[in-house]
């Protein structure tokens, strides 16, 4: 039996487990003009306990996005329940510099069902993209970051303003964590 006045101490800790995937598209010039709603999809990769892919629409994913490049992330694995994750999409600067605001969209919390995609139909205007430093030698890379909560009963809580920069190394409490994992990259190549 506990003595009177003794305090019980409990701890609950949750962390955001973050993974990133790099999808390189080679031969961009061969993809332009393939048509609105026609996409190039990365091979599936693992993150947050599920399989995902990056989906790129060179001419926009819908008529509303015509003249834009569109970038999405898709849940490709079968899931018995909906999957809620924090995700972010950005273009990778070949010089290693942090992407500018127009090339890096603030992470969002979204719930996915199998086969569903989330992202931005109007990620960037094609003309702006083609004149940007992200497209080099007819090649560019999209970075997809996916975070899931690990631990007891935590919700995805960090506000997006805290996540905009350094998202790859963020724990739920907002502190940087150098133990993030990079899933690796894949390439998509357009035919001549």
């Amino acid at each position: 039996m506990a003595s009177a006045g003794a305090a019980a101490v409990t701890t609950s800790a949750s962390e955001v487990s973050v993974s990133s995937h790099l999808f390189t598209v080679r031969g961009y010039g061969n993809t332009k003009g393939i048509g609105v709603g026609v996409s190039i999809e990365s091979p599936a990769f693992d993150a947050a306990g599920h399989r995902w892919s990056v989906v790129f629409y060179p001419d926009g994913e819908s008529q509303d996005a015509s003249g834009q490049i569109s970038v999405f992330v898709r849940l490709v694995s079968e899931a018995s329940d909906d999957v809620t994750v924090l995700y972010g999409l950005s273009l990778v600067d070949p010089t290693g510099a942090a992407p500018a605001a127009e090339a890096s969209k603030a992470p969002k919390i979204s719930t996915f069902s199998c086969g569903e995609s989330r992202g931005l139909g109007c990620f960037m205007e094609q003309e702006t993209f083609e004149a940007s430093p992200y497209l080099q030698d007819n090649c560019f890379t999209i970075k997809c970051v996916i975070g899931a909560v690990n631990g007891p009963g935590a919700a995805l809580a960090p506000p997006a303003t805290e996540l905009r920069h350094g998202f790859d190394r963020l724990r739920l409490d907002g502190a940087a964590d150098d133990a993030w994992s990079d899933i690796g990259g894949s390439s998509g190549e357009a035919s001549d």
Side-chain angles (χ1 to χ4, degrees):
M1 180 171 215
S3 59
V9 177
T10 61
T11 302
S12 175
S14 297
E15 290 189 359
V16 175
S17 169
V18 178
S19 297
S20 65
H21 179 78
L22 300 176
F23 177 45
T24 298
V25 176
R26 299 182 198 289
Y28 167 75
N30 297 324
T31 69
K32 190 173 175 187
I34 64 174
V36 172
V38 180
S39 65
I40 298 168
E41 191 162 347
S42 76
F45 60 92
D46 294 315
H50 297 279
R51 304 278 292 159
W52 305 86
S53 65
V54 174
V55 184
F56 169 65
Y57 296 85
D59 296 321
E61 59 77 47
S62 68
Q63 286 301 325
D64 291 339
S66 180
Q68 306 273 332
I69 62 168
S70 302
V71 181
F72 290 79
V73 60
R74 176 176 304 172
L75 176 63
V76 296
S77 62
E78 294 292 326
S80 57
D81 294 322
D82 289 346
V83 177
T84 301
V85 296
L86 186 63
Y87 75 92
L89 297 161
S90 64
L91 297 175
V92 176
D93 188 314
T95 67
E102 75 270 5
S104 180
K105 307 309 178 188
K108 295 183 180 208
I109 297 171
S110 284
T111 300
F112 294 77
S113 295
C114 181
E116 282 189 323
S117 299
R118 300 276 186 269
L120 294 154
C122 297
F123 189 87
M124 185 182 287
E125 290 183 9
Q126 283 176 326
E127 284 184 17
T128 302
F129 170 68
E130 291 167 4
S132 77
Y134 306 104
L135 181 61
Q136 295 289 317
D137 300 322
N138 211 24
C139 174
F140 69 97
T141 301
I142 300 167
K143 183 174 188 177
C144 175
V145 181
I146 297 178
V149 172
N150 295 326
L156 289 166
T161 55
E162 290 181 24
L163 299 175
R164 184 159 181 97
H165 301 287
F167 174 65
D168 291 338
R169 299 182 332 230
L170 188 78
R171 294 192 326 230
L172 189 60
D173 63 4
D177 181 3
D178 290 331
W180 62 279
S181 64
D182 189 352
I183 295 199
S186 62
S187 296
E189 205 156 317
S191 303
D192 287 325

